[in-house]
Amino acid sequence: MRVTYMNCAFGLIAALTLTACAGTPSTGGFGGGSVASRWENRVVTISMAQRIADACHDQGIYLAASRYGGAVHRATEEMVAEGTDRAALEAAYQNQDFGALSTKIDSEIARRGGNEAQPASLCALGEKEIAAGSDLGQTLQKG
């Protein structure tokens, strides 16, 4: 096999990509990727948990304790605590289309079987995610 500059460059890019993704914590099915996409996925997860907790507090489902309030602040500070560069997270925030983000949250809830018009479906979703230990489930607590 003839080794060319392009072969080496592609190999280096693949190795760097694998190295960068190897340390990425699980985001509950939202995947790894850039800082911006990981931050967005964490905001989606926390926002979903907030909606479930709001609908299901009478059933004992709450947001897991955090010293940070609000989905955006919580996602940002959790990722900074894990070692993500704050400037990259602030850039992700500045470039975020929050209308599209809200649509993504709605879609993800529906994809997982929840319907905000039927609070019992959100509670069932919360129970299922807590039992599975998913990222969403770990953002909630039953008490």
Side-chain angles (χ1 to χ4, degrees), residues 58-111:
D58 290 343
Q59 284 75 33
I61 297 176
Y62 304 94
L63 281 173
S66 173
R67 51 189 248 203
Y68 312 112
V72 168
H73 183 236
R74 182 173 175 169
T76 301
E77 295 305 320
E78 287 175 353
M79 291 180 72
V80 166
E82 292 173 353
T84 303
D85 179 57
R86 183 177 295 280
L89 293 167
E90 289 174 5
Y93 172 78
Q94 293 297 324
N95 294 318
Q96 183 61 53
D97 175 349
F98 285 95
L101 185 64
S102 183
T103 299
K104 184 174 182 178
I105 294 163
D106 294 340
S107 296
E108 188 60 25
I109 287 172
R111 187 184 73 76

Side-chain angles (χ1 to χ4, degrees), residues 3 5 15 24 28 43 47 52-53 59 67 80-81 86 109 114 118-119 123 125 130 133-134 137:
V3 176
Y5 173 77
T24 303
V43 170
S47 296
I52 291 167
Q59 284 75 33
R67 51 189 248 203
V80 166
R86 183 177 295 280
I109 287 172
Q118 299 173 339
C123 300
L125 172 59
I130 291 168
S134 70

Side-chain angles (χ1 to χ4, degrees), residues 114-136:
N115 179 342
E116 290 191 63
Q118 299 173 339
S121 71
L122 293 177
C123 300
L125 172 59
E127 296 269 0
K128 181 178 93 176
E129 296 291 331
I130 291 168
S134 70
D135 193 39
L136 176 57

